[in-house]
Amino acid sequence: MASSETSVDAGVDVVYRSDCPSRPILDQIADKWSMMVMAVLDKPTRFNEIKRRLEGVTQRVLTQTLRRLERNGMIVRRVLPTSPVGVQYSLTPLGKSLQEPFSRLYDWTVDNADEIRVHQEDYDQRVQG
């Protein structure tokens, strides 16, 4: 095997290794709520407005998601000098760099949702039948 083939194979194999550095990052930013929060943050937004826009998210899950995104540098949290104290979230440049790929993924899911549902129903009938 040529040395270039070996290096390509070795590079591909790293992705599948349990210690690949991408795994925890993908786990933390590519989940459903993280992607939805980042989509909502097209402008600086307060916590309750994010919660209102994301139907079905609980306060606990939203808080955890926002903390995780802040920890990973995707968003910034700013305490507002209001009474009562308010908190506003916005995307960082790093978070903004994910808008385009997340948008493409979202568009793909919308474009293919009907076909995927058909496959799911077909599979469920085969497995149950």
Side-chain angles (χ1 to χ4, degrees):
M1 185 183 305
S3 62
S4 64
E5 290 175 299
T6 304
S7 63
V8 170
D9 289 345
V12 171
D13 291 343
V14 171
V15 174
Y16 300 108
R17 290 178 41 167
S18 63
D19 63 346
C20 177
S22 69
R23 283 188 175 195
I25 296 168
L26 287 170
D27 286 344
Q28 293 174 17
I29 63 169
D31 68 278
K32 169 180 73 173
W33 291 118
S34 292
M35 293 180 75
M36 293 176 125
V37 164
M38 291 180 65
V40 166
L41 292 177
D42 52 348
K43 62 180 178 21
T45 309
R46 293 176 77 143
F47 181 92
N48 286 330
E49 176 63 18
I50 297 169
K51 189 169 180 327
R52 276 192 295 277
R53 290 183 67 190
L54 297 178
E55 187 175 310
V57 71
T58 64
Q59 183 159 336
R60 179 178 164 271
V61 168
L62 180 55
T63 298
Q64 290 171 340
T65 300
L66 289 166
R67 285 180 182 159
R68 190 172 51 248
L69 289 170
E70 182 180 13
R71 180 174 182 260
N72 287 305
M74 301 296 137
I75 65 171
V76 64
R77 178 182 184 268
R78 187 168 72 102
V79 178
L80 302 172
T82 57
S83 181
V85 173
V87 178
Q88 187 178 64
Y89 297 90
S90 57
L91 292 173
T92 64
L94 184 61
K96 286 179 182 178
S97 73
L98 275 174
Q99 283 181 310
E100 194 258 329
F102 276 3
S103 174
R104 283 200 323 254
L105 179 58
Y106 175 78
D107 291 344
W108 181 90
T109 61
V110 169
D111 291 346
N112 292 285
D114 291 337
E115 182 178 349
I116 291 168
R117 265 192 295 279
V118 167
H119 287 288
Q120 290 170 338
E121 290 168 4
D122 181 54
Y123 175 87
D124 292 346
Q125 287 179 357
R126 283 190 326 233
V127 171
Q128 292 173 359

